[in-house]
Amino acid sequence: GALDALLHQVETNNKTLHAERQRVEAAGKEFQTGIWLYDPQVSYDYLKGFPNSAGNQNDLIVTQPFDYPTAYARRRKLAALKTGQLAFESQSLRRDILLEAKRSALHLIFLHKRKAELNRRLAAAQQFLENYQKKYEARDATVLDLNKARHQLFNLQTDLQLLEAEIAEQQGQLTALNGGIATAFADTIYPQAAELPEFETLEQTIEATDPTLQFLQTQMQVGEAQLSLTKALNLPKMEAGYHYQGILGQN
């Protein structure tokens, strides 16, 4: 429906969500840093002998340092948990922004319905005033009756002007949420809403899917994984490599 299309636009164009997507992408790459082996080290020495009979010496050393093996599995687990936590945080932000847009849209539906009713009353008040004007001219109504009709019309015109200002304000909020791109939303029919399940079912669903709760649960797991990694990093470091030495024709 129109509301779903509006929310899709907001999700695509909202500047905060756009910045959040970039942040998630950058942070995801940052979490991957350091989970693999360190850079290998290479050194080469050429030592010229003196006198010449002493011979020249060549040394080539290639080494690969690495942490205790369990540290890499724990680093990968920690990176996966942080990436998941970041996704939950992003989902929570997306939910809040789309909820704000949905509330504005639903309020606009109410305002449009009210505007239609005010226009109907305004037309009736205009006709009422015209009828009393004729009666007054025919001396079938007093000036007091005529003034009451005018006052009723004036009040309705004022209410309509205030309503138009409120509609413009809500439209402005939707435009801001839509990344500054103006969007027309003139629905006067509320979307159908699914019936709420039993409270116990609803509570279980929220506990299982709410991104804020999932973020907090992952936060505890991140703390446990960080502690486990710290313990692994305290274990001895190791190196493996290759050492070549050539001197006096011997390798």
Side-chain angles (χ1 to χ4, degrees), residues 13-153:
N13 300 324
N14 183 269
K15 293 181 179 179
T16 301
L17 291 180
H18 180 69
E20 177 67 9
R21 286 189 286 269
Q22 292 180 328
R23 184 182 78 91
V24 168
E25 182 179 357
K29 293 178 180 178
E30 181 182 353
F31 294 154
Q32 297 300 314
T33 303
I35 68 173
W36 311 112
L37 294 174
Y38 301 111
D39 292 335
Q41 301 173 2
V42 180
S43 65
Y44 173 75
D45 289 323
Y46 175 74
L47 308 176
K48 187 172 179 60
F50 182 82
N52 291 337
S53 59
N56 302 324
Q57 180 175 331
N58 294 275
D59 282 275
L60 174 66
I61 302 175
V62 180
T63 58
Q64 175 63 65
F66 55 91
D67 293 312
Y68 201 78
T70 55
Y72 295 97
R74 294 175 185 179
R75 273 198 182 106
R76 286 192 291 271
K77 180 180 179 180
L78 180 60
L81 285 171
K82 286 185 175 180
T83 301
Q85 186 182 37
L86 191 67
F88 294 139
E89 189 177 19
S90 182
Q91 289 172 18
S92 181
L93 177 64
R94 171 185 174 274
R95 177 196 61 184
D96 291 344
I97 289 176
L98 292 184
L99 179 59
E100 185 179 354
K102 186 174 183 179
R103 284 174 172 167
S104 289
L106 292 175
H107 190 52
L108 271 173
I109 291 175
F110 163 74
L111 294 176
H112 289 146
K113 291 172 72 72
R114 187 176 174 207
K115 180 180 176 181
E117 175 62 20
L118 276 179
N119 280 328
R120 185 190 67 79
R121 293 183 183 181
L122 191 63
Q126 184 69 47
Q127 185 62 50
F128 186 73
L129 177 60
E130 291 176 2
N131 292 339
Y132 262 89
Q133 183 70 40
K134 293 177 181 178
K135 288 184 178 182
Y136 176 73
E137 293 171 357
R139 300 183 183 277
D140 288 336
T142 66
V143 68
L144 183 60
D145 295 328
L146 185 60
N147 286 337
K148 286 182 178 179
R150 287 172 178 167
H151 185 67
Q152 182 182 28
L153 180 62

Side-chain angles (χ1 to χ4, degrees), residues 233-247:
L233 292 176
N234 287 332
L235 295 173
K237 304 288 190 293
M238 290 175 280
E239 282 187 355
Y242 171 78
H243 185 179
Y244 164 82
Q245 185 179 68
I247 184 173

Side-chain angles (χ1 to χ4, degrees), residues 198-218:
E198 296 293 332
F199 176 76
E200 289 76 11
T201 303
L202 180 62
E203 183 181 31
Q204 292 171 3
T205 301
I206 292 174
E207 287 182 352
T209 62
D210 182 77
T212 302
L213 291 178
Q214 291 175 316
F215 174 88
L216 296 173
Q217 290 168 355
T218 307

